[in-house]
Amino acid sequence: MAAILAVGGAVLDIVNVVAAYPAEDSEVRAERQAVRLGGNAANTLAVLAQLGHRCAWSGVWADEPDGRRIVADLQARGIQTGPARRLAGGKSPTSYITLSRATGSRTIVHHRDLPELSAADFEAVDVAPYDWVHLEARPNAGDIPRMIRHVRRHSPRARISLEVEKAREGLEHGLHDPDVVLFSGDYARGQGYADPEGFLRGLDPATVPGIKVCTWGSAGAAAVDNAGRLHRTPAFPPARVVDTVGAGDTFNAGLIDALARARSLAEALEAAARLAGRKCGREGLDGLTGAGG
């Protein structure tokens, strides 16, 4: 199995399950509540750890009760937290999630009072042990090229993936060097595209020369390999959609897992879509072991 470092967010998710999404200025009773680990990088690692990889997280955490809970949850999953930066002040990132039982969709209100992990912070991390480094494009996306140079210099064998969920200032400077760039459908739609194939074909190979992937929810996902060939997979929805929180992070984990096992891009794309579909049929991220194939 691969040694994988993910750089990005680890969050406390407070999930309220309701029968249906409430109207504005109304009051509803939650059927149940769950408090659990969240955040894109942390979720991706939680799935990768289940799939047998040796995982570590690098990010910023606040040394207060919620922050210690986040770190303890990561460690309980076998995810190393040594590469993370601890802050004595601040407040842990928290996502307040309303999950509709009627549709399985979720609405998120996020609060964060912590600085991002800077390139200078990351340059203090020993990346030599890792086979794969997964970066999450955060608001300080302008730091990504410097982070990638740190990995290339100290772990030249490592493959690098970059998740692009939202438009970020300075992001364009970080798209050239990753081996794999994972774009969300929201990002592509924000660029004016109506389907993943059109978005991927619209990317300049000189700007994004590596493997390019774009997810599109219930319409599946598409990818372009290093030879410029387009690959497509449908979605694999469960019989009933229960919980879509973390589905994109699960897809990313499934793709990284399959590529780390030297499977073809077409195989990896389908495996990731199947794993994300399985996740949507259950609450939370636990119990996915073996679903990646």
Side-chain angles (χ1 to χ4, degrees):
M1 293 295 99
I4 300 174
L5 175 69
V7 184
V11 176
L12 188 71
D13 280 355
I14 301 175
V15 184
N16 288 306
V17 181
V18 296
Y21 192 77
E24 186 175 354
D25 200 26
S26 65
E27 178 180 341
V28 297
R29 183 180 294 274
E31 296 180 352
R32 59 187 179 279
Q33 184 182 84
V35 181
R36 64 197 190 204
L37 180 68
N40 293 21
N43 284 344
T44 297
L45 287 172
V47 178
L48 285 167
Q50 287 185 60
L51 295 169
H53 298 282
R54 303 184 303 280
C55 296
W57 170 66
S58 184
V60 180
W61 65 278
D63 192 359
E64 46 86 45
D66 287 345
R68 290 191 288 272
R69 178 173 184 160
I70 290 169
V71 168
D73 197 337
L74 287 163
Q75 293 173 345
R77 294 170 179 272
I79 300 166
Q80 298 178 3
T81 58
R85 178 188 174 196
R86 179 185 68 85
L87 284 186
K91 180 70 179 69
S92 296
T94 307
S95 288
Y96 302 88
I97 302 172
T98 302
L99 177 62
S100 168
R101 182 168 52 79
T103 63
S105 64
R106 83 290 185 272
T107 299
I108 303 173
V109 177
H110 182 70
H111 174 71
R112 180 183 178 90
D113 183 23
L114 277 182
E116 300 292 346
L117 187 81
S118 69
D121 294 328
F122 186 62
E123 286 172 341
V125 175
D126 179 10
V127 297
Y130 300 106
D131 306 304
W132 194 296
V133 177
H134 177 64
L135 302 170
E136 178 189 343
R138 303 288 302 167
N140 61 335
D143 280 2
I144 289 172
R146 187 171 159 188
M147 292 178 167
I148 292 175
R149 286 195 297 271
H150 175 61
V151 178
R152 297 296 189 208
R153 185 177 302 118
H154 297 285
S155 185
R157 76 180 188 284
R159 298 177 76 180
I160 299 173
S161 54
L162 173 67
E163 177 196 12
V164 178
E165 185 179 43
K166 302 172 183 176
R168 304 288 193 186
E169 185 176 354
L171 174 64
E172 66 277 8
H173 303 299
L175 298 177
H176 183 270
D177 295 320
D179 299 290
V180 183
V181 184
L182 298 145
F183 293 97
S184 73
D186 285 344
Y187 177 85
R189 284 185 284 269
Q191 304 300 306
Y193 290 90
D195 59 73
E197 296 93 339
F199 168 72
L200 293 172
R201 290 299 194 196
L203 293 171
D204 182 358
T207 302
V208 194
I211 291 172
K212 298 166 277 287
V213 182
C214 184
T215 57
W216 213 265
S218 60
V224 171
D225 63 23
N226 288 321
R229 294 182 295 257
L230 180 71
H231 304 273
R232 193 73 166 84
T233 183
F236 296 91
R240 184 172 74 89
V241 175
V242 173
D243 177 8
T244 59
V245 178
D249 307 325
T250 302
F251 178 95
N252 292 347
L255 191 90
I256 292 169
D257 169 68
L259 293 177
R261 296 174 189 266
R263 297 176 70 175
S264 71
L265 180 57
E267 291 172 324
L269 198 65
E270 180 177 332
R274 287 187 182 278
L275 186 62
R278 176 170 177 142
K279 183 270 156 295
C280 290
R282 62 198 310 119
E283 286 192 23
L285 297 173
D286 294 327
L288 292 171
T289 301

